[in-house]
Amino acid sequence: MVAQSHIRLEKDQNYHNQICLSCIAGCYGCRWKRYRRSKDPSSIREKIFAGIATLSFMFSTFWLYYWIIADNDAYDFNRFIATGTHSYFDWYSLFYALTIVMVVYTGVLVAFAVSHLVIGLQLHLHWSHKCLVIVNIAGCVASAIVLSQMWPSSYRLLVISFHMTGPFLQITAVVVVTGIGWLVCSSFFRISNAAVKYSIMTVYAILVLFTYLSPLLMYAPCLKSSSTPPRPTIIAHKGAPQLAPENTHVSFETSLNYNISGLESDVHISLDGQLFLLHDYTFEFTSNIASVFPDRVREPASNFTWEEIQTLDVGSWFLERDPFNNVRRLSPEQRELYRQQKVMLLNDLLQLAVVNDKSVVFDLKPPHEGNPYAENYVNYTITEILEHKDLKAYKLWWLVNQESDVSYVRSITDDLLITAEGRWDVSTLNRVHITNINAEYSEVSDSDIRQYSSSNITSNIYQVGKEWMYSLFWCEGATSVTSSACQTLSTVQSPHSFVKPGGYLALWITVDIISAAAIVAFFFLHRHHYEYLNNPEAISLNSGRNKYGPQTRRKSDKELLFGAKKPSPQESEGDSPVRTPQEILNAADATQKDSLHDNEVVGFQLQ
């Protein structure tokens, strides 16, 4: 009987095509058929799942922003994972692509949920969507926990990025809360419980006010600074590793084409006392050691003799792996040159710096226990360096990690520019007479950089690989930056910012005024609609489908199809008599002809 009623209901009514409505209800809850759609009030469970879908979208959006900002360290992220798995793969791009997919997917679900609310359809999220949004939230939480342990500096990078993207995010937030205002105003007139609706309006008002005034809490040096500090110089990290194999002659020579001020690398000591350049502790990822010494792939680099090291090819891996998608731009001559690259000596780097009048920054790695220079590698390295009489003392940075290292190095020589590694207090730097620091972006704050600058202490920040980071540290007053992307940063002639300094104030006020006007307009539009639907004439025209009238209880689709159950004595006063299914069908057909608001009567879904 129930199935026949559904068939008759769908067959007898003269429906208009509603492709968009079918798409919304079908994609969201797999309710493609008209008789399965309902305008009954949504259940609490479905409202909760709509909220979960929204939360999943917010988490995905956060991670999309995270991966966009973390692109500065994408190669280091892949290398870090490869160190543990001993197999290189572009994990960053994979996670980035998956995040984009989840943002689009959850965003569409949220859009469909909002469409249900606007149209007045009953929320019904399909079970497959419910599972996916829950899995997505779990994945986002798990990723946050894992990355906080294995890559904590990325969260510092995230905080730093807000100094640059804050103005843009604030305007985006204003647009979002303005759109939410339509739903809030609609709910205000739809909900009959005064305490609930005024609570919702209060929370929303606080959210709007906070969004409007958030620039007062924002630190954006590129917008607030009245004058731009001097442009930071660029120190080439491993040469130009995005264009050529890192720590090779061709890499450092390529970097000299981009107006750099210095060259930076990591230095190891071989078994026979040769100082050579290598970023990692092994040759596993930047050479063909697997084919030359297959049994020593993961052996420390300091356990090799210089003769053995010279047999390694440190250029072909760049062509085979193409970590920065630049190989396709290389000519056949360049490819052949890359295949001929060998491990570079520190002496060669010093000579290159002397000829081109560049500074040299290097991080001396302690050799493995089996190396004969493990005990006196510092003395040995300084002695080797001082043999280069042509190298100016202020051009060679010697990095120290603590105060005791300062006195030790000065007991050997005063011909090096002793540089503090990491964050040091200004008072400590003045006490030991150090005027230069070299710190990772996650180690120092904007206030530290300003204090260094005001105390005539030069600061070098690493790793800076993106234009927005370079612009930020430029505005904060950094003296120089170390970068693997010198070809990109050399093109930045002025700090990048969302708007010009002083222009953001006008933009901020204008956007807030437009948003406030839109919210007020939403309120009065819904108020007018509410008053219209509660007008006696409107009530008589829409008595079966009045959404707003608190005095008239809205009949469910089950009641419209099969008739209402016998009312209680308290409900019987003023109620219409129970109708048969045939009467319901006739009434639905008549209502469809008279009002577009009631062009559809749907059956309740069989559970």
Side-chain angles (χ1 to χ4, degrees), residues 335-396:
R335 294 169 186 254
E336 184 60 30
L337 177 63
Y338 288 6
R339 293 189 182 96
Q340 298 172 4
Q341 295 303 301
K342 299 295 182 179
V343 176
M344 190 175 179
L345 288 171
L346 175 61
N347 287 336
D348 298 331
L349 180 64
L350 296 177
Q351 186 61 35
L352 188 64
V354 169
V355 172
N356 293 277
D357 192 28
K358 304 297 181 183
S359 299
V360 175
V361 185
F362 67 87
D363 188 6
L364 181 60
K365 303 293 185 181
H368 195 258
E369 294 179 358
N371 191 294
Y373 299 91
E375 298 296 332
N376 63 338
Y377 69 96
V378 175
N379 285 342
Y380 179 81
T381 303
I382 293 177
T383 302
E384 290 291 316
I385 291 174
L386 293 179
E387 292 182 1
H388 287 265
K389 301 299 182 182
D390 297 333
L391 186 64
K392 300 175 183 178
Y394 68 89
K395 290 288 187 178
L396 181 58

Side-chain angles (χ1 to χ4, degrees), residues 51-105:
I52 293 175
T54 304
L55 183 64
S56 180
F57 171 69
M58 294 171 63
F59 277 23
S60 300
T61 303
F62 166 81
W63 279 107
L64 177 60
Y65 179 81
Y66 175 91
W67 291 119
I68 291 174
I69 298 302
D71 187 37
N72 180 78
D73 297 333
Y75 182 65
D76 293 336
F77 175 75
N78 291 332
R79 285 278 284 268
F80 180 84
I81 297 179
T83 302
T85 61
H86 301 288
S87 177
Y88 184 87
F89 181 75
D90 191 0
W91 291 101
Y92 171 83
S93 297
L94 175 62
F95 293 147
Y96 192 5
L98 288 176
T99 304
I100 292 176
V101 170
M102 292 310 301
V103 168
V104 174
Y105 168 69

Side-chain angles (χ1 to χ4, degrees), residues 179-243:
I180 295 175
W182 177 271
L183 297 177
V184 172
C185 293
S186 174
S187 300
F188 181 81
F189 292 104
R190 182 177 299 179
I191 298 174
S192 58
N193 190 311
V196 173
K197 68 179 182 180
Y198 281 109
S199 298
I200 294 175
M201 189 61 73
T202 301
V203 172
Y204 177 70
I206 294 174
L207 176 63
V208 170
L209 188 63
F210 174 79
T211 306
Y212 286 173
L213 301 180
S214 58
L216 298 176
L217 307 175
M218 191 182 302
Y219 174 72
C222 291
L223 295 180
K224 295 184 178 181
S225 58
S226 56
S227 60
T228 305
R231 183 176 185 267
T233 58
I234 302 171
I235 297 176
H237 178 240
K238 301 182 292 186
Q242 295 184 5
L243 304 177

Side-chain angles (χ1 to χ4, degrees), residues 248-263:
T248 60
H249 279 280
V250 67
S251 181
F252 287 107
E253 290 171 354
T254 301
S255 68
L256 295 173
N257 299 325
Y258 296 103
N259 193 29
I260 62 172
S261 63
L263 306 171

Side-chain angles (χ1 to χ4, degrees), residues 159-177:
V159 174
I160 292 174
S161 70
F162 293 139
H163 297 165
M164 203 67 186
T165 61
F168 171 77
L169 296 178
Q170 188 268 340
I171 292 178
T172 303
V174 170
V175 174
V176 172
V177 297

